[in-house]
Amino acid sequence: MTTERPARLHVDWTACDRRGSCIELLPELLDADDWGYPMPREGHRDLSVDGELTADVLTAVKLCPRLALTLTPGS
Ligand code: SF4
């Protein structure tokens, strides 16, 4: 039996400078907290990324000016 794990998006808040482009690109996944940091809408530290959003997530990862976003492939 195999267990498939979805891709995961990790936000490194220690690197983030709250510019917010990721929130604009990924409104389905992220919202801003009271200080402007991107917060997962689903409440987990690392977000599950389904196939439909993968291209947008990759764009957000590439455009993050602080390299604060990491997408870990699923298995
Ligand atoms: S794009 Fe990067 S630096 Fe900007 S808010 Fe998102 S994680 Fe932070």
Side-chain angles (χ1 to χ4, degrees):
M1 185 172 106
T2 60
T3 303
E4 290 189 20
R5 293 188 319 173
R8 307 288 292 177
L9 176 65
H10 176 75
V11 181
D12 179 359
W13 287 287
T14 65
C16 174
D17 71 355
R18 303 177 289 173
R19 292 190 191 197
S21 62
C22 60
I23 298 167
E24 293 176 18
L25 283 165
L26 302 170
E28 305 91 340
L29 296 177
L30 299 172
D31 194 7
D33 70 5
D34 291 344
W35 297 274
Y37 287 97
M39 292 298 296
R41 287 190 182 275
E42 69 178 35
H44 300 289
R45 183 176 173 88
D46 288 352
L47 289 161
S48 297
V49 177
D50 66 21
E52 192 174 288
L53 288 173
T54 301
D56 289 341
V57 169
L58 286 170
T59 298
V61 169
K62 287 179 188 169
L63 293 179
C64 175
R66 300 300 302 266
L67 305 178
L69 299 174
T70 307
L71 182 63
T72 303
S75 58

